[in-house]
Amino acid sequence: MIRFLPIVPLLFSATVQAAPLPGSTPLADKNAEAIADRVMDGAHAFVDRKIDEAVQLSHRTKLSDHSREHLQNKLGVVDERPKVRMEFFSDAHISFEGKPATSLVAEGPGFEVHSVRWTVLPELFAEGLLVTPVAKEGAGVLELPETPPAMILFPDADDTPEDIIGLNANLRGEKQIAARFAAAGFRILIPAVLSRASYTVTGEHEKAVARSDQSHREWIYRQAFQMGRHPIGYEIQTALAGVDWLLENNLASSITVGGYGEGGRSALYAAAVDTRIDHAFVSGAFAPRDRACDEPIYRNIFALLPEHSDALIAALIAPRPLLIEHTLFPEVIDQKGGITTPVFSTIQTEFDRISTVLGTLQTPPSFLLHHAEKGRRADYPSVAAFLQTAGIEREISRIAPFALLIDSRAQFSPEARQLRILASMEKHVQSLIDQSDEVRRESFFLAGAPELQAGRWSTEKTHPILDPTKFLAFAEKKREQFHSEVIGRFDESPVPLAPQSRKILETDSWTAWDVVMEVYSGFEAWGVLLLPKGIEPGEKRPVVVCQHGRNGLPRDTVDAAKSAYNDFAAKLAERGFITFAPHNIYRGEDRYRWLDRKANLVGCSLFSFITASHRQQLQWLATLPEVDAERIAFYGLSYGGETAIRVPALLPEYCLSICSGDFNQWTRKVGDSRNPHTFMRTIEWEMPYWNMGNTFDYGDLAGLIFPRPFFVERGHNDRVARDEWVAYEYARVRRLYTAFGKSDLTGIEYFLGGHSINGQGSFDFLHRHLDLPVP
């Protein structure tokens, strides 16, 4: 073994600077932190430009035959609903004045209010209030002879059904919109929506959950997003289940969906995806989507732009009547984004674009944009304006605020109902997670290699080796799916190679260089290259790309003081490998999370940047005279291990990959709310990737690396995962390689240690498969 010598920084005089690497120009920046900031600043500027381009494209985007279907998929409105069971029930022990509890909550002028719950999806129930018209006073408590118009009315996430029907004084006057429509003779179903209240737990994990700073809506968003579902989608399904019930029981002459704030967004999308809805009104919600990425995280919709601006969503409702009221939006801050009220001129401009989307000269006559009086908190559209827009003939002279209704429930708790709704959504998502192994198995392994399906019971000692040809062709299609639908790629061509370099370190064994190059115009990549000494002219050496983890820098892989990395890039260079430590941009905590969030708006992610950077750096490495471009391997720890399973799956130029301190059952790691060691209880809110849980886990991604060598390094005491999860997922990898006669190309090493590079079996794996003798 070659003895590792301590790193000795090079000392340069004030007037003499070492020449850059051949084929590069001098790099002026000397400070690693400054270079990291430069790369991050460039990435943010780049994605802001891509958002601007998507916004401009959205202004020219017209409806297509697939616009509605694409919207449903983006919102996660993809599950078949069962037959709706509407239950009239009491959620209080006793009613007013000690009378037996019933579903009847209150009586108003010409209507009754009942407490109800209804089925939405398997494991998912909705709760709320049902307002039913009854005969006028003096005629008995009977249903009206005519079939009334019906409405599904969403409150904002900070309001309750009781607030908007007038069962309390939390909202006043015109904001008690349900009461006004009830007085107009509507049958109204008012779902309780998922709130913005802080998600809390007690006990061992109380502090961790508190640090993650999640609302109820974010708690569901994190786990649902990974499974291709969304809290907005669940609320849409809640409304559509109500539509199912109304139509099946002939309870409505027409159906309207409406709402304010979060309820307004759900109403807008619900009317767009379901043409059975006759009318819609939206208050405090319709707005340009240019900066949707600045709104709370639970509103994040992957690839919203350029296809689904609010103008296009409205166009999907045409020619059905739509009333949009611009009023004060709910004021929301510090929920990983916020909501403020946009100026009316931007709303008018977005509204006017509806005609462009439809390819008409003017906005449909059935559409109305209503601007609430300046300074007036009229948080819902005027009832008269909506009835006129919808063409519903109702006596409106009596539609005015009236005295508060009396809630007959003595011990009703809206907080308890909110927790039931939260638990119901969570139960549905967790059932999807539990089923996802089989879903991915069917769509990946068995679809690509049906021979892997367990057949009849066999007692044969050996089975025939399978031919991988068909599987490899199938894997190419899955690679494209992973890149385009999960990771995302920017519609941008890389710039020509123009590296800058500066010598930074030297030992008796190797010399280190900072290397910076542009990837896209304005966005750069950076890394540290270690060239072993003693490479003969014309000799080609293998390269090991050594990837740091979260909040790291390239030099961390070289510095012996960084214990988790065990200076593995330096040690591998001492063994004769050329090593290159790229800078991945998951540094600066929420700066990179916001980068991911911005990229999501245009169908990309943090790994869209990372993958593009690696592709450019691989092309540059291949130009170095010392590098054998056919022998470039990847080895990463932690977030670098996360990179090791994603980037080589996308870039076949990597001939080998080693995943350290990360290999996992990723679907559970991200979305399992029942296990304390998952990202559900941490600050890493960027970890969910849209629908990845139903399409790719680590075993599947290793299938995209196959037949290239793949190795896992796992410390028993590494809390990033359970040994059982790692072993379960790796068993799928092992079976795949073995079935195709490639078992010698994969391996796993367990060691009695933690979240760190072990550098034992992994180093041997590199020497063996990169064909470099052990020194």
Side-chain angles (χ1 to χ4, degrees):
M1 296 288 290
I2 296 176
R3 183 173 61 87
F4 175 66
L5 298 175
I7 296 173
V8 181
L10 283 173
L11 299 177
F12 300 110
S13 72
T15 58
V16 179
Q17 174 74 356
L21 280 167
S24 68
T25 58
L27 173 65
D29 281 323
K30 298 180 181 180
N31 182 277
E33 299 277 355
I35 300 175
D37 289 343
R38 167 177 157 178
V39 171
M40 180 62 79
D41 291 344
H44 274 279
F46 174 78
V47 76
D48 286 340
R49 174 165 66 83
K50 300 310 290 184
I51 291 173
D52 289 343
E53 291 174 5
V55 169
Q56 293 306 312
L57 181 57
S58 74
H59 296 169
R60 305 188 300 273
T61 300
K62 292 180 169 54
L63 284 178
S64 76
D65 294 339
H66 304 292
S67 295
R68 200 183 314 276
E69 178 187 0
H70 290 174
L71 178 63
Q72 287 179 282
N73 290 334
K74 291 177 185 180
L75 296 168
V77 184
V78 295
D79 298 292
E80 184 177 347
R81 293 182 300 279
K83 180 180 174 62
V84 179
R85 185 175 72 253
M86 183 68 68
E87 299 179 8
F88 291 72
F89 81 110
S90 172
D91 49 1
H93 298 298
I94 57 174
S95 61
F96 191 65
E97 296 179 345
K99 295 178 181 178
T102 70
S103 69
L104 182 64
V105 172
E107 296 178 277
F111 63 87
E112 294 179 344
V113 181
H114 290 265
S115 176
V116 293
R117 64 183 168 213
W118 62 101
T119 52
V120 178
L121 298 172
E123 313 289 354
L124 178 58
F125 288 80
E127 294 190 36
L129 298 177
L130 177 65
V131 180
T132 302
V134 295
K136 293 181 179 180
E137 188 176 351
V141 182
L142 300 171
E143 288 288 333
L144 290 170
E146 62 176 296
T147 302
M151 176 177 290
I152 297 167
L153 184 59
F154 284 107
D156 178 51
D158 285 335
D159 299 333
T160 67
E162 288 74 19
D163 293 338
I164 64 173
I165 193 63
L167 282 165
N168 56 49
N170 292 340
L171 302 176
R172 296 184 178 277
E174 63 278 348
K175 294 173 69 175
Q176 295 173 354
I177 187 64
R180 299 164 69 83
F181 277 110
F186 278 74
R187 175 176 279 116
I188 312 171
L189 185 61
I190 314 174
V193 302
L194 202 59
S195 81
R196 300 187 187 98
S198 294
Y199 180 81
T200 59
V201 297
T202 57
E204 179 184 357
H205 306 293
E206 181 177 358
K207 291 183 178 179
V209 170
R211 282 195 301 271
S212 72
D213 190 25
Q214 298 182 65
S215 65
H216 286 186
R217 295 186 75 82
E218 183 183 345
W219 180 255
I220 296 300
Y221 160 82
R222 285 198 188 191
Q223 52 193 283
F225 196 86
Q226 183 75 8
M227 301 310 301
R229 305 301 191 277
H230 204 286
I232 295 174
Y234 280 136
E235 287 169 354
I236 293 169
Q237 290 279 36
T238 294
L240 301 189
V243 173
D244 296 343
W245 177 72
L246 289 167
L247 292 178
E248 184 174 344
N249 293 281
N250 298 313
L251 293 174
S253 59
S254 65
I255 297 177
T256 298
V257 64
Y260 167 68
E262 298 302 338
R265 292 226 64 83
S266 295
L268 180 68
Y269 287 133
V273 302
D274 195 330
T275 56
R276 298 177 302 167
I277 294 169
D278 299 295
H279 329 104
F281 72 78
V282 176
S283 181
F286 182 89
R289 298 287 81 205
D290 307 21
R291 299 307 302 177
C293 53
D294 295 336
E295 294 178 349
I297 186 64
Y298 50 74
R299 283 191 172 193
N300 183 37
I301 298 173
F302 190 72
L304 183 67
L305 294 181
E307 187 179 10
H308 289 106
S309 64
D310 272 10
L312 190 139
I313 301 301
L316 285 170
I317 298 173
R320 294 167 288 159
L322 168 66
L323 174 61
I324 296 170
E325 181 182 64
H326 180 59
T327 183
L328 294 176
F329 282 35
E331 185 177 341
V332 180
I333 58 173
D334 295 334
Q335 298 217 340
K336 301 178 182 72
I339 301 174
T340 58
T341 303
V343 296
F344 178 69
S345 60
T346 64
I347 308 300
Q348 182 70 63
T349 299
E350 187 72 12
F351 184 81
D352 292 343
R353 289 194 185 109
I354 297 171
S355 60
T356 303
V357 175
L358 291 170
T360 59
L361 295 177
Q362 61 182 11
T363 303
S366 59
F367 282 21
L368 176 64
L369 175 59
H370 173 69
H371 188 192
E373 295 177 21
K374 186 175 181 181
R376 178 185 173 199
R377 181 90 186 200
D379 288 321
Y380 290 97
S382 74
V383 175
F386 172 72
L387 296 179
Q388 180 181 5
T389 302
I392 299 175
E393 295 184 3
R394 285 280 155 181
E395 173 59 46
I396 61 174
S397 60
R398 63 190 177 94
I399 303 172
F402 42 79
L404 285 175
L405 303 176
I406 298 176
D407 193 331
S408 67
R409 300 168 296 182
Q411 297 178 355
F412 167 68
S413 168
E415 293 79 15
R417 179 180 62 196
Q418 175 65 206
L419 292 178
R420 292 194 298 269
I421 294 169
L422 180 74
S424 180
M425 286 189 185
E426 184 172 355
K427 190 173 183 181
H428 184 263
V429 181
Q430 296 304 305
S431 72
L432 296 176
I433 290 174
D434 291 341
Q435 299 161 19
S436 65
D437 278 355
E438 189 60 28
V439 171
R440 292 188 309 273
R441 180 171 171 271
E442 291 287 341
S443 66
F444 190 96
F445 279 95
L446 299 186
E451 301 89 345
L452 293 178
Q453 174 71 54
R456 62 180 177 81
W457 180 259
S458 172
T459 58
E460 297 174 8
K461 182 179 179 180
T462 59
H463 282 228
I465 300 298
L466 301 178
D467 181 350
T469 303
K470 290 183 180 179
F471 177 80
L472 292 175
F474 172 80
E476 281 302 315
K477 297 178 182 177
K478 299 298 285 187
R479 192 189 324 281
E480 174 56 30
Q481 180 190 2
F482 181 57
H483 207 160
S484 60
E485 297 180 13
V486 179
I487 298 299
R489 58 162 65 90
F490 292 112
D491 183 16
E492 184 97 359
S493 298
V495 300
L497 290 173
Q500 302 173 332
S501 67
R502 185 177 69 89
K503 187 184 290 187
I504 57 170
L505 300 168
E506 188 167 18
T507 72
D508 289 345
S509 302
W510 46 258
T511 306
W513 307 75
D514 270 334
V515 183
V516 175
M517 67 195 71
E518 209 170 23
V519 180
Y520 301 129
S521 180
F523 170 53
E524 297 174 305
W526 164 47
V528 171
L529 177 73
L530 271 63
L531 282 175
K533 294 182 176 179
I535 300 178
E536 298 293 336
E539 182 185 358
K540 299 282 190 179
R541 293 280 185 94
V543 179
V544 181
V545 172
C546 300
Q547 189 63 66
H548 65 77
R550 171 181 155 209
N551 279 327
L553 290 168
R555 281 210 204 167
D556 294 347
T557 67
V558 180
D559 188 352
K562 302 292 184 179
S563 59
Y565 298 104
N566 292 311
D567 55 335
F568 75 118
K571 288 178 178 174
L572 286 168
E574 288 186 340
R575 288 170 167 255
F577 294 101
I578 297 171
T579 63
F580 180 69
H583 178 64
N584 274 4
I585 51 177
Y586 34 67
R587 179 177 173 79
E589 290 304 354
D590 279 5
R591 279 211 78 193
Y592 71 82
R593 296 190 177 104
W594 279 108
L595 188 67
D596 180 74
R597 175 71 191 285
K598 289 178 179 180
N600 275 192
L601 181 58
V602 293
C604 291
S605 67
L606 187 67
F607 271 95
S608 303
F609 293 94
I610 292 171
T611 304
S613 296
H614 278 259
R615 178 180 284 110
Q616 190 81 328
Q617 289 167 327
L618 281 166
Q619 289 187 11
W620 167 73
L621 284 169
T623 68
L624 299 182
E626 304 90 346
V627 166
D628 183 349
E630 301 298 317
R631 292 187 291 163
I632 302 179
F634 192 99
Y635 188 173
L637 171 69
S638 192
Y639 226 134
E642 186 174 333
T643 310
I645 194 71
R646 287 162 176 76
V647 172
L650 294 173
L651 302 182
E653 295 91 335
Y654 279 118
C655 72
L656 173 156
S657 186
I658 298 175
C659 178
S660 179
D662 183 74
F663 193 84
N664 223 317
Q665 279 189 280
W666 192 251
T667 304
R668 292 199 179 278
K669 175 66 178 178
V670 173
D672 193 334
S673 61
R674 300 156 295 187
N675 190 286
H677 300 298
T678 70
F679 290 124
M680 287 299 299
R681 291 172 169 81
T682 71
I683 63 172
E684 286 114 323
W685 48 268
E686 85 286 1
M687 285 300 179
Y689 275 62
W690 178 249
N691 202 30
M692 186 172 172
N694 283 314
T695 52
F696 298 94
D697 210 306
Y698 277 19
D700 310 294
L701 295 180
L704 299 184
I705 294 172
F706 174 85
R708 292 166 285 161
F710 177 71
F711 190 85
V712 173
E713 194 172 51
R714 163 68 189 172
H716 285 302
N717 297 324
D718 188 346
R719 295 187 64 187
V720 78
R722 292 174 163 181
D723 275 348
E724 294 84 352
W725 286 9
V726 176
Y728 176 90
E729 195 67 17
Y730 181 73
R732 301 174 64 213
V733 180
R734 180 74 182 181
R735 186 186 179 200
L736 179 73
Y737 275 73
T738 302
F740 292 119
K742 304 291 184 181
S743 60
D744 60 320
L745 298 183
T746 187
I748 186 169
E749 180 183 56
Y750 292 93
F751 63 97
L752 190 58
H755 194 63
S756 65
I757 294 287
N758 188 43
Q760 299 296 319
S762 56
F763 282 16
D764 292 341
F765 193 81
L766 288 168
H767 279 289
R768 183 166 70 254
H769 293 292
L770 295 180
D771 193 23
L772 184 71
V774 177

